[in-house]
Amino acid sequence: MADPHAKMTKATPQEVMVSVVLGLAAPLIAIVLILFLVDSIQSEQIDVDSPEIAEKTVLRNIAPVARLDARDANAPRVERTGEEVYKAVCFSCHDAGALGAPKMNSKGDWGSRIAQGYNKLIDHALNGIRQMPPRGGDPDISDIEIARTVAYMANSAGAGFKAPEPPAPPAAPAKGAEPAAAAPAAPAAAPAK
Ligand code: HEC
């Protein structure tokens, strides 16, 4: 009985070469395609080492949040009360007397300070004094808020300071002036019958 494999095993050297080359070509093509894919993905990435691009990236990334947080610069500013500002910022030192800060409600701590007068205390709260940072370290606190907060704090320890009111909102046009301005300048403009 003849060997059934006898025919198949007789491959010429050329056939071997061709099958080896083709066998290698397939994975090579696959590798090249993968490299192309990786390269195209990377070219979409951003070079964060460039400060300009990094800034743009940050701005783009925070845009949804930043937009929600955007405040209308023209909106009238709502001044907080002294108590609100105190509880937001000043309490952190003045509740417990950190760094030697005069404590709320402590006549002993505040007595000599109150004696300097309201304006001097406001000046020190605005500009800082020794360990007391300017505006308690929060530049967003307005002058009026500082004045109110100083009154709130000093009054807790026996002072009788009167906090200033915020400036009145821009006055509405005087009532008498309105009809004159609104009246049509030339009655002739009315459509003729
Ligand atoms: C980081 C801690 C800290 C914070 C926050 C802070 N203070 Fe003070 N403050 C101090 C210290 C310390 C002193 C005492 C300074 C001194 O006389 O050496 C002081 C003193 C004061 C005085 C008395 C100044 C004087 O002339 O005797 C006032 C008024 C005052 N603070 C107001 C405020 C107000 C208003 C805020 C919040 C907006 C605030 N502080 C937030 C630490 C702080």
Side-chain angles (χ1 to χ4, degrees), residues 62-155:
I62 66 168
V65 185
R67 218 175 289 133
L68 284 179
D69 195 34
R71 285 187 236 170
D72 183 356
N74 295 320
R77 188 195 157 95
V78 179
E79 305 284 354
R80 289 166 291 177
T81 65
E83 186 179 352
E84 282 167 344
V85 173
Y86 178 81
K87 285 181 174 159
V89 177
C90 321
F91 80 97
S92 58
C93 292
H94 285 270
D95 255 17
L99 305 170
K103 289 199 279 283
M104 272 295 273
N105 305 311
S106 166
K107 290 204 165 101
D109 283 3
W110 278 98
S112 59
R113 298 178 188 273
I114 290 170
Q116 301 176 98
Y118 189 25
N119 287 335
K120 194 96 200 154
L121 289 177
I122 293 175
D123 178 48
H124 288 162
L126 286 173
N127 301 311
I129 176 172
R130 292 177 286 268
Q131 301 271 52
M132 162 72 200
R135 296 177 198 262
D138 182 349
D140 280 349
I141 303 176
S142 74
D143 290 8
I144 283 197
E145 287 173 335
I146 285 289
R148 287 176 169 182
T149 313
V150 169
Y152 172 74
M153 291 162 73
N155 291 354

Side-chain angles (χ1 to χ4, degrees), residues 4 49 73 158 179 187:
D49 289 340

Side-chain angles (χ1 to χ4, degrees), residues 29-51:
I29 290 170
I31 288 171
V32 167
L33 286 177
I34 290 171
L35 286 180
F36 271 117
L37 180 68
V38 168
D39 187 52
S40 73
I41 289 174
Q42 274 185 343
S43 64
E44 281 170 32
Q45 302 295 314
I46 294 148
D47 173 18
V48 283
D49 289 340
S50 144

